[in-house]
Amino acid sequence: MKMPTSVYAEESGVSKNSQIAIVKNVLDDGSNLTDDLHISSNTTIQNVLVNIEEQSDSALQITSIIGNSEISVTGVPVAKSANGHAIFYKATSDNPGFEVVNMEYVDNAETNMFFKNYKDINNKNRILKLYLRDLSNINRDYIILECFDYKVNNFSSIVSLLPQDTVMGAWAAREFIPVNFDCEDIDTYAFNDIIQRTYTVEYNELALPQTHTITLESYCTYSNIRIGQMADIIHMLKVTGKTMTCPKNPSLNSKTESFLHVNTLSLRQTTVPNAAFVSTAIDGSVLNKGGSASLSASIGINMGILGASLSVPVTFSDNSTIDINNTYKGYVNGKNGVYVRSVKTKMQSQYKLTKIGHYFEVRSTIADFGNVSKSNDFHKAVWDIGVINAYNLSTQNKTIYHNVSIDIKG
């Protein structure tokens, strides 16, 4: 099918030839939306004429004939890439049958694209991308428009005024399900006071992998307990790294950004035999999405016999809530011969760990009630972590076990 073109005689702006790929029945993981080096039967390639008008606020209006419909998209520059070579636009289409999934301009064409072969053959050095999803049917159909002949005026001036937000260009992570989620739960019974884990999620982006990571570190500060006395044990989970990469796409590479956040987080703990919890406090630096306090958590308990060696339970009875800068001291020990041996501290749902430096800390005070020496036992702790793609809300539930040896001695 040959696509009609328009000369846009009555419109301002400039008219440019552009390449279009119409890709139908795209799979949920995007694996059959590739590039002009790997064209399959679900893809139709066409040349079209587009009209591009640069407006006074540096917004771009792109108009073209797609199928039998004229579509006009207006994009406002809102962010730049980490390397400063890409402008990302917040864009809308005047045709409700099409959704804009990506609009960006890259001033050196060092970026991933559909028309790789065309770019190389014609030695193009800049690109304007407009990617649309066709909403007219239940299938995943996309329109990939790439213009190599348009130059954004005052590019350097525009970039200098924009904030960095490289994830705006990570459209594949918004549109598709992951093709790989690389992370293994950690189970350690050594004396480690720091455990690091990197979670990696990979998406298909036009025949290349788009990879997002988040690195978390679990810290534990603790000491032995003197007979009949108390001691603090502090657990902290912190975001220490985030990255985003795509081969041959420097404009999507970032050493500090990714779509991955910690969406849910709780710490389950069980004391060594003869010890029990007497208080809990929390601290942290988080994104607050509506909580009345800067940070709060719920507390659940599980009672047990004092001298038994217990595993960390899964279920807890609800007990209370706690806000930052307060200490919960409502644990009741020794009544009917049982003690607060296990506690679950869950960050409330309004709070998230979204950027490097965010952390959630639980400070527990535990006490010896046995009044005898005891050694070679573990204080057991389990972080339950929901790692989420912050755009499409797909979640992977992961676990970090962080056990440390605590002695009770005079």
Side-chain angles (χ1 to χ4, degrees), residues 9 11 28 100 107 145 175 209 214 228 272 320 332 341 385 388 392 400 402 404 408:
E11 296 195 36
D28 287 347
V100 180
D107 73 335
L145 185 153
E175 289 294 302
I214 185 169
V272 296
S320 186
V332 177
R341 295 289 312 281
I385 307 162
I388 193 171
N392 64 23
I400 294 178
H402 201 158
V404 293
I408 299 173

Side-chain angles (χ1 to χ4, degrees), residues 319-332:
N319 203 52
S320 186
T321 59
I322 183 174
D323 291 338
I324 193 172
N325 299 324
N326 292 324
T327 300
Y328 179 75
K329 299 179 180 180
Y331 300 126
V332 177

